[in-house]
Amino acid sequence: MSSWWRSRDMKYVSLIFSEDAAHECVHSLGRLGSIQFTDLNPEQTPFQRRYVGFIKRYDELERKLRFMGAEINAFGLKR
């Protein structure tokens, strides 16, 4: 239990994944709970990142689904 408060030895490594495998690999590493990521592009704002287009599309889809749900409720239909 004493090691709980002490720093552990760490290594800095660089992992390079293909874009197709990146999500699954990062998810698996994150589930280990013993990894820390470093932002290699700290000068970029969140709106300059590559994934912003995906987030905008998901937001638009969510808005459309909320609208459809409201219309379904307005007509008294069951979901």
Side-chain angles (χ1 to χ4, degrees):
M1 190 72 175
S2 63
S3 65
W4 179 263
W5 302 107
R6 295 187 182 170
S7 296
R8 301 269 182 166
D9 289 337
M10 298 177 75
K11 293 181 182 176
Y12 190 83
V13 298
S14 178
L15 302 172
I16 300 171
F17 302 114
S18 71
E19 197 165 335
D20 296 337
H23 178 76
E24 183 63 34
C25 292
V26 170
H27 177 73
S28 297
L29 289 170
R31 292 190 64 182
L32 294 174
S34 58
I35 192 165
Q36 181 176 342
F37 294 96
T38 302
D39 188 357
L40 297 178
N41 300 307
E43 69 281 350
Q44 286 187 336
T45 66
F47 299 106
Q48 293 173 320
R49 306 224 177 226
R50 292 178 58 193
Y51 54 80
V52 172
F54 295 117
I55 293 172
K56 287 180 181 177
R57 286 193 320 201
Y58 296 142
D59 284 343
E60 181 65 16
L61 180 59
E62 184 180 29
R63 184 191 66 76
K64 289 177 181 179
L65 289 172
R66 275 196 313 269
F67 174 77
M68 294 287 288
E71 291 296 307
I72 289 171
N73 289 337
F75 283 102
L77 301 173
K78 294 182 181 180
R79 288 192 224 186

